[in-house]
Amino acid sequence: MSADEREYPSEEVQRRRLTVAGVLSLVLVAIAAVVVGAVAGAPQGAASGTEGSAGPTGDSTSAEGTADPRPAPSEAVAPAAVDTFDKTARSIDDPASIWVVVNKQRPLNPQDYEPDDLVDVPVAHTWEPMMRQEASDAVVAMFQAAADEAGLYLASNSAFRSYSTQVDLYGDGSDPTTAPPGASEHQTGLGIDIGSEGGCTFECLEDSPEGEWLRTNAYRFGFLLRYPADKVDVTGYPHEAWHYRYIGVELATEMHDTGYTTLEEFFGLPSVPLGL
């Protein structure tokens, strides 16, 4: 059949085809419009399929698509300090304990106690000193540090004193700086009166470089300035710038770091009235 003889669809068929094509075009346009409108009008976070999810900036959104106000950050609260120091690690009553607390209201038991580990202390001195071995070692280390670090040369004026010696020294009790027999720290073998090799003793130590160095550094070696000037009504004794008591590095450091200056206050013991 020639090209001229080829059959063409009738006008009726062509009209139907155009109608179907037009309808399909309208349907596609309508679907596209619905999709575009849904995307443009969706709330933030809808893509995740959850209501109130975080938007691009991290703000939470409500179901209506409005951003919820971000809560103001609260001020950080420091954790409460926890006291980890064990105050019961050593006895404060046993005369052989380096933590024993001795004062006019707390005499030694027995009152004529004498340490069984007394040794000569190999340092410069006025009267030959004896102390318990641990305290003696600490004195030697402290005196050496004063010389090495500050060029200061310390000396012992008095260390261990026996019960009988304290009886003689105490006399009628008229000297407020002398403890009653059985209530002296010197009797424990842990107390020492410190001066300088140059002759500065007792009250002189208050304003001397040696006294200043000791007040700053004695705790490093386990010593405590036992009778501070501002705690007369706690210790029961006038200020003694020269009297140091060995309590061990652990306790001395804890008291230094926490600001306690008397054993009575640190261990919660009653104060001792002056003149008792």
Side-chain angles (χ1 to χ4, degrees):
M1 176 166 39
S2 65
D4 294 338
E5 294 172 333
R6 184 180 297 124
E7 293 184 0
Y8 292 92
S10 64
E11 291 181 0
E12 182 64 24
V13 171
Q14 293 180 17
R15 193 164 40 250
R16 289 177 180 175
R17 290 178 177 175
L18 290 173
T19 300
V20 171
V23 171
L24 290 175
S25 298
L26 290 174
V27 169
L28 292 173
V29 170
I31 291 174
V34 170
V35 171
V36 171
V39 172
Q44 290 184 345
S48 66
T50 59
E51 294 182 348
S53 60
T57 62
D59 293 338
S60 61
T61 57
S62 66
E64 293 77 21
T66 59
D68 295 331
R70 178 179 298 179
S74 59
E75 184 177 348
V77 178
V82 178
D83 185 4
T84 59
F85 188 86
D86 184 4
K87 294 184 179 181
T88 65
R90 296 176 184 265
S91 173
I92 61 173
D93 302 311
D94 182 354
S97 169
I98 64 171
W99 287 7
V100 64
V101 181
V102 185
N103 59 40
K104 295 172 185 176
Q105 293 180 335
R106 292 177 55 85
L108 295 170
N109 184 19
Q111 291 194 17
D112 61 352
Y113 166 78
E114 183 169 315
D116 58 9
D117 60 346
L118 290 171
V119 296
D120 293 329
V121 186
V123 296
H125 56 270
T126 304
W127 291 282
E128 187 171 351
M130 296 181 68
M131 297 185 76
R132 293 182 58 183
Q133 181 69 68
E134 183 178 343
S136 173
D137 293 343
V139 167
V140 172
M142 182 167 67
F143 282 24
Q144 187 62 54
D148 294 343
E149 297 174 9
L152 300 173
Y153 297 92
L154 304 174
S156 168
N157 289 323
S158 180
F160 170 74
R161 294 200 295 259
S162 67
Y163 177 85
S164 59
T165 298
Q166 200 67 24
V167 168
D168 294 337
L169 290 174
Y170 186 68
D172 60 3
S174 59
D175 182 357
T177 66
T178 302
S184 171
E185 288 202 324
H186 287 282
Q187 192 178 323
T188 66
L190 302 170
I192 183 171
D193 294 339
I194 302 175
S196 73
E197 281 194 51
C200 178
T201 60
F202 301 109
E203 287 81 1
C204 169
L205 206 67
E206 177 67 30
D207 299 316
S208 69
E210 290 84 357
E212 182 178 355
W213 189 91
L214 284 168
R215 287 190 293 273
T216 303
N217 295 283
Y219 80 93
R220 296 165 44 200
F221 305 90
F223 285 91
L224 172 72
L225 176 64
R226 186 63 177 96
Y227 306 122
D230 60 342
K231 296 301 172 67
V232 171
D233 292 333
V234 174
T235 65
Y237 288 103
H239 174 46
E240 295 185 8
W242 58 90
H243 182 90
Y244 281 82
R245 159 69 190 277
Y246 182 74
I247 56 176
V249 173
E250 182 184 20
L251 177 55
T253 300
E254 177 69 13
M255 292 182 66
H256 174 270
D257 292 348
T258 55
Y260 285 95
T261 58
T262 70
L263 294 173
E264 286 80 7
E265 290 172 309
F266 184 81
F267 287 110
L269 300 173
S271 298
V272 183
L274 182 64
L276 179 67

